[in-house]
Amino acid sequence: MFDLSKLGDMAKIASEAKSMQEKQERMSREQLEILQKISTQMETVIALLRDCKK
């Protein structure tokens, strides 16, 4: 017979997994934003260095 206590455990595990996935996705978005900012800043530095050479 099916054990209903296991159903609660599975629901808890699924909820925790979903929470972890959302946290990972949020962290990935934040990392992407940081990398985009760094890229923009590096492009600015390169442009300034090129201007100084002229």
Coordinates of all heavy atoms in Angstrom, one line a residue:
M1 N 0.8 -1.2 0.0 CA 0.0 0.0 0.0 C 0.9 1.2 0.0 O 2.0 1.2 0.5 CB -0.9 -0.1 1.3 CG -2.1 0.8 1.2 SD -3.3 0.1 0.1 CE -4.4 1.4 0.0
F2 N 0.4 2.3 -0.5 CA 1.1 3.6 -0.6 C 1.2 4.2 0.8 O 0.1 4.4 1.5 CB 0.4 4.5 -1.6 CG 1.2 5.7 -1.9 CD1 2.4 5.7 -2.6 CD2 0.8 7.0 -1.4 CE1 3.1 6.8 -2.9 CE2 1.5 8.1 -1.6 CZ 2.7 8.0 -2.4
D3 N 2.4 4.7 1.2 CA 2.6 5.3 2.5 C 2.4 6.8 2.3 O 3.2 7.5 1.7 CB 4.0 4.9 3.0 CG 4.2 5.4 4.4 OD1 3.3 6.0 5.0 OD2 5.3 5.1 4.9
L4 N 1.3 7.4 2.9 CA 1.1 8.8 2.8 C 2.1 9.7 3.5 O 2.3 10.8 3.1 CB -0.3 9.1 3.3 CG -1.5 8.5 2.5 CD1 -2.8 8.9 3.1 CD2 -1.4 9.1 1.1
S5 N 2.8 9.1 4.5 CA 3.8 9.9 5.2 C 5.0 10.3 4.2 O 5.6 11.3 4.3 CB 4.4 9.2 6.4 OG 5.1 8.1 6.0
K6 N 5.2 9.4 3.3 CA 6.3 9.6 2.2 C 5.9 10.7 1.3 O 6.7 11.5 0.8 CB 6.5 8.3 1.4 CG 6.9 7.2 2.2 CD 8.3 7.3 2.7 CE 8.8 6.1 3.5 NZ 10.0 6.2 4.2
L7 N 4.6 10.9 1.1 CA 4.1 12.0 0.2 C 4.5 13.3 0.8 O 4.9 14.2 0.1 CB 2.6 11.9 0.0 CG 1.9 12.8 -1.0 CD1 2.5 12.6 -2.4 CD2 0.4 12.6 -1.0
G8 N 4.3 13.5 2.1 CA 4.7 14.8 2.7 C 6.2 15.0 2.6 O 6.6 16.1 2.4
D9 N 7.0 14.0 2.8 CA 8.4 14.1 2.7 C 8.8 14.5 1.3 O 9.7 15.4 1.1 CB 9.1 12.8 3.0 CG 9.0 12.4 4.5 OD1 8.7 13.3 5.3 OD2 9.2 11.2 4.8
M10 N 8.2 13.9 0.3 CA 8.5 14.2 -1.1 C 8.1 15.7 -1.4 O 8.8 16.4 -2.2 CB 7.7 13.2 -2.0 CG 8.3 11.8 -2.0 SD 7.4 10.6 -2.9 CE 7.4 11.2 -4.5
A11 N 6.9 16.1 -0.9 CA 6.5 17.5 -1.1 C 7.5 18.5 -0.5 O 7.8 19.5 -1.1 CB 5.1 17.7 -0.6
K12 N 8.0 18.1 0.7 CA 9.0 19.0 1.3 C 10.3 19.1 0.5 O 10.8 20.1 0.3 CB 9.3 18.5 2.7 CG 10.2 19.3 3.5 CD 10.5 18.8 4.9 CE 11.5 19.6 5.6 NZ 11.8 19.1 6.9
I13 N 10.7 17.9 0.0 CA 11.9 17.9 -0.8 C 11.7 18.7 -2.1 O 12.6 19.4 -2.5 CB 12.3 16.4 -1.1 CG1 12.8 15.7 0.2 CG2 13.4 16.4 -2.2 CD1 13.0 14.2 0.0
A14 N 10.6 18.5 -2.7 CA 10.3 19.3 -3.9 C 10.3 20.8 -3.7 O 10.8 21.6 -4.5 CB 9.0 18.8 -4.5
S15 N 9.7 21.2 -2.6 CA 9.7 22.6 -2.2 C 11.1 23.1 -2.0 O 11.4 24.2 -2.4 CB 8.8 22.8 -0.9 OG 8.9 24.1 -0.5
E16 N 11.9 22.4 -1.3 CA 13.3 22.8 -1.0 C 14.1 22.9 -2.4 O 14.9 23.8 -2.6 CB 14.0 21.9 -0.1 CG 13.4 22.0 1.3 CD 14.0 20.9 2.3 OE1 14.8 20.1 1.8 OE2 13.6 20.9 3.5
A17 N 13.8 21.9 -3.2 CA 14.5 21.9 -4.5 C 14.1 23.2 -5.4 O 15.0 23.8 -6.0 CB 14.2 20.7 -5.3
K18 N 12.8 23.5 -5.3 CA 12.4 24.7 -6.1 C 13.0 25.9 -5.5 O 13.4 26.8 -6.2 CB 10.8 24.7 -6.0 CG 10.3 25.9 -6.8 CD 8.7 25.9 -6.7 CE 8.2 27.1 -7.5 NZ 6.7 27.1 -7.4
S19 N 13.1 26.0 -4.2 CA 13.6 27.2 -3.5 C 15.1 27.3 -3.9 O 15.6 28.4 -4.2 CB 13.5 27.0 -2.0 OG 14.1 28.1 -1.3
M20 N 15.8 26.2 -3.9 CA 17.2 26.2 -4.3 C 17.4 26.7 -5.7 O 18.3 27.4 -6.0 CB 17.9 24.9 -4.0 CG 18.1 24.5 -2.6 SD 18.7 22.9 -2.3 CE 20.3 22.9 -3.2
Q21 N 16.6 26.2 -6.6 CA 16.7 26.5 -8.0 C 16.4 28.0 -8.2 O 17.1 28.7 -9.0 CB 15.6 25.7 -8.8 CG 15.7 26.0 -10.3 CD 14.7 25.2 -11.1 OE1 13.9 24.5 -10.6 NE2 14.8 25.3 -12.4
E22 N 15.4 28.6 -7.5 CA 15.1 30.0 -7.6 C 16.3 30.8 -7.1 O 16.7 31.8 -7.7 CB 13.9 30.3 -6.8 CG 12.6 29.8 -7.5 CD 11.4 29.9 -6.6 OE1 11.5 30.3 -5.4 OE2 10.3 29.7 -7.1
K23 N 16.9 30.4 -6.0 CA 18.1 31.1 -5.5 C 19.3 31.0 -6.5 O 19.9 32.0 -6.7 CB 18.5 30.4 -4.2 CG 19.7 31.1 -3.5 CD 20.0 30.5 -2.2 CE 21.2 31.2 -1.5 NZ 21.6 30.6 -0.3
Q24 N 19.5 29.9 -7.1 CA 20.5 29.7 -8.1 C 20.3 30.6 -9.3 O 21.2 31.3 -9.8 CB 20.7 28.3 -8.5 CG 21.3 27.4 -7.5 CD 21.4 25.9 -7.9 OE1 20.6 25.5 -8.7 NE2 22.3 25.2 -7.3
E25 N 19.0 30.7 -9.8 CA 18.7 31.5 -10.9 C 18.9 33.0 -10.6 O 19.4 33.8 -11.4 CB 17.2 31.3 -11.3 CG 17.0 29.9 -12.0 CD 15.6 29.6 -12.2 OE1 14.7 30.3 -11.8 OE2 15.3 28.5 -12.9
R26 N 18.5 33.4 -9.4 CA 18.7 34.8 -8.9 C 20.2 35.1 -8.9 O 20.6 36.2 -9.4 CB 18.1 35.0 -7.6 CG 18.1 36.4 -7.1 CD 17.3 36.7 -5.8 NE 17.8 35.8 -4.7 CZ 17.1 34.8 -4.2 NH1 15.9 34.5 -4.7 NH2 17.5 34.0 -3.2
M27 N 21.0 34.2 -8.4 CA 22.4 34.4 -8.3 C 23.0 34.5 -9.7 O 23.9 35.3 -10.0 CB 23.1 33.3 -7.5 CG 22.8 33.4 -6.0 SD 23.5 32.1 -5.0 CE 25.3 32.5 -5.2
S28 N 22.6 33.7 -10.6 CA 23.1 33.7 -12.0 C 22.7 35.1 -12.6 O 23.6 35.6 -13.4 CB 22.4 32.6 -12.8 OG 22.9 31.4 -12.4
R29 N 21.5 35.6 -12.4 CA 21.2 36.9 -13.0 C 22.0 38.0 -12.4 O 22.5 38.9 -13.1 CB 19.7 37.2 -12.7 CG 18.7 36.4 -13.6 CD 17.3 37.0 -13.4 NE 16.8 37.0 -12.1 CZ 16.2 36.0 -11.5 NH1 16.0 34.9 -12.2 NH2 15.7 36.0 -10.3
E30 N 22.3 37.9 -11.1 CA 23.1 38.9 -10.4 C 24.6 38.9 -11.0 O 25.2 39.9 -11.3 CB 23.1 38.7 -8.9 CG 21.8 39.1 -8.3 CD 21.8 38.7 -6.8 OE1 22.8 38.2 -6.3 OE2 20.7 38.9 -6.2
Q31 N 25.1 37.7 -11.2 CA 26.4 37.5 -11.7 C 26.5 38.1 -13.2 O 27.5 38.7 -13.5 CB 26.9 36.1 -11.7 CG 27.2 35.6 -10.3 CD 27.5 34.1 -10.3 OE1 27.2 33.3 -11.2 NE2 28.0 33.6 -9.2
L32 N 25.4 37.8 -13.9 CA 25.4 38.3 -15.3 C 25.4 39.8 -15.3 O 26.1 40.5 -16.1 CB 24.2 37.8 -16.0 CG 24.0 38.2 -17.5 CD1 25.2 37.8 -18.3 CD2 22.7 37.7 -18.1
E33 N 24.6 40.4 -14.4 CA 24.6 41.9 -14.3 C 25.9 42.5 -14.0 O 26.4 43.5 -14.6 CB 23.5 42.3 -13.3 CG 22.1 42.1 -13.7 CD 21.1 42.4 -12.6 OE1 21.5 42.9 -11.6 OE2 19.9 42.1 -12.8
I34 N 26.6 41.8 -13.0 CA 27.9 42.3 -12.6 C 28.9 42.2 -13.8 O 29.7 43.1 -14.0 CB 28.4 41.5 -11.4 CG1 27.6 41.8 -10.2 CG2 29.9 41.7 -11.1 CD1 27.8 40.9 -9.0
L35 N 28.9 41.0 -14.5 CA 29.8 40.9 -15.6 C 29.5 41.9 -16.7 O 30.4 42.4 -17.4 CB 29.7 39.4 -16.2 CG 30.3 38.4 -15.3 CD1 29.9 37.0 -15.9 CD2 31.8 38.5 -15.2
Q36 N 28.2 42.2 -16.9 CA 27.9 43.2 -17.9 C 28.4 44.6 -17.5 O 29.0 45.4 -18.4 CB 26.4 43.3 -18.1 CG 25.8 42.1 -18.9 CD 24.3 42.1 -18.9 OE1 23.7 42.6 -18.1 NE2 23.8 41.4 -19.9
K37 N 28.4 44.9 -16.2 CA 28.9 46.2 -15.7 C 30.4 46.2 -15.9 O 31.0 47.3 -16.4 CB 28.5 46.4 -14.3 CG 27.1 46.7 -14.0 CD 26.8 46.9 -12.6 CE 25.3 47.1 -12.3 NZ 25.0 47.2 -10.9
I38 N 31.1 45.1 -15.6 CA 32.5 45.1 -15.7 C 32.9 45.2 -17.2 O 33.9 46.0 -17.5 CB 33.1 43.7 -15.2 CG1 32.9 43.7 -13.7 CG2 34.5 43.5 -15.6 CD1 33.2 42.4 -13.0
S39 N 32.2 44.6 -18.1 CA 32.4 44.7 -19.5 C 32.3 46.1 -20.0 O 33.2 46.6 -20.8 CB 31.5 43.8 -20.3 OG 31.7 43.9 -21.7
T40 N 31.3 46.8 -19.6 CA 31.1 48.2 -19.9 C 32.2 49.1 -19.4 O 32.7 49.9 -20.2 CB 29.7 48.7 -19.4 OG1 28.7 47.9 -19.9 CG2 29.5 50.2 -19.8
Q41 N 32.6 48.8 -18.2 CA 33.7 49.6 -17.6 C 35.0 49.4 -18.4 O 35.8 50.3 -18.6 CB 33.9 49.3 -16.1 CG 32.7 49.8 -15.3 CD 32.7 49.3 -13.9 OE1 33.5 48.4 -13.5 NE2 32.0 49.9 -13.0
M42 N 35.3 48.1 -18.7 CA 36.5 47.8 -19.5 C 36.5 48.5 -20.8 O 37.5 48.9 -21.3 CB 36.6 46.3 -19.6 CG 37.0 45.6 -18.3 SD 37.2 43.8 -18.4 CE 38.8 43.8 -19.3
E43 N 35.3 48.5 -21.5 CA 35.2 49.1 -22.8 C 35.5 50.6 -22.6 O 36.2 51.2 -23.5 CB 33.8 48.9 -23.4 CG 33.6 47.5 -23.9 CD 32.2 47.3 -24.3 OE1 31.4 48.3 -24.4 OE2 31.8 46.2 -24.6
T44 N 35.1 51.2 -21.6 CA 35.4 52.6 -21.3 C 36.9 52.9 -21.1 O 37.4 53.8 -21.6 CB 34.6 53.1 -20.0 OG1 33.2 52.9 -20.3 CG2 34.8 54.6 -19.8
V45 N 37.5 52.0 -20.3 CA 38.9 52.1 -20.0 C 39.7 52.0 -21.3 O 40.6 52.8 -21.6 CB 39.4 51.1 -19.0 CG1 40.9 51.0 -18.9 CG2 38.8 51.4 -17.6
I46 N 39.3 51.0 -22.2 CA 40.0 50.8 -23.4 C 39.9 52.0 -24.3 O 40.8 52.5 -25.0 CB 39.5 49.5 -24.1 CG1 40.0 48.3 -23.4 CG2 40.0 49.5 -25.6 CD1 39.3 47.0 -23.8
A47 N 38.7 52.6 -24.4 CA 38.4 53.8 -25.2 C 39.3 55.0 -24.7 O 39.9 55.7 -25.5 CB 37.0 54.2 -25.2
L48 N 39.4 55.1 -23.4 CA 40.2 56.2 -22.8 C 41.7 56.0 -23.1 O 42.4 57.0 -23.4 CB 40.0 56.3 -21.3 CG 38.6 56.8 -20.8 CD1 38.5 56.6 -19.3 CD2 38.4 58.3 -21.2
L49 N 42.1 54.8 -23.0 CA 43.5 54.5 -23.3 C 43.9 54.8 -24.8 O 44.9 55.3 -25.1 CB 43.9 53.0 -23.0 CG 43.9 52.7 -21.5 CD1 44.1 51.2 -21.3 CD2 45.1 53.5 -20.8
R50 N 42.9 54.4 -25.7 CA 43.1 54.7 -27.1 C 43.2 56.2 -27.3 O 44.0 56.7 -28.1 CB 42.0 54.1 -27.9 CG 42.1 52.6 -28.1 CD 41.1 52.0 -29.0 NE 41.2 50.6 -29.1 CZ 40.2 49.7 -29.2 NH1 39.0 50.2 -29.3 NH2 40.4 48.4 -29.3
D51 N 42.3 57.0 -26.6 CA 42.3 58.4 -26.8 C 43.6 59.0 -26.3 O 44.1 60.0 -26.9 CB 41.1 59.0 -26.0 CG 39.8 58.8 -26.7 OD1 39.8 58.3 -27.9 OD2 38.8 59.0 -26.1
C52 N 44.2 58.5 -25.2 CA 45.5 59.0 -24.7 C 46.6 58.7 -25.7 O 47.6 59.5 -25.7 CB 45.8 58.3 -23.4 SG 44.7 58.9 -22.0
K53 N 46.6 57.7 -26.5 CA 47.6 57.4 -27.4 C 47.7 58.4 -28.6 O 48.7 58.6 -29.2 CB 47.5 55.9 -27.9 CG 47.9 54.9 -27.0 CD 47.9 53.5 -27.7 CE 48.5 52.4 -26.9 NZ 48.5 51.2 -27.6
K54 N 46.5 58.9 -28.9 CA 46.4 59.8 -30.0 C 47.1 61.2 -29.8 O 47.3 61.7 -28.9 CB 45.0 60.0 -30.4 CG 44.4 58.7 -31.0 CD 42.9 59.0 -31.4 CE 42.3 57.7 -31.8 NZ 40.9 57.8 -32.2

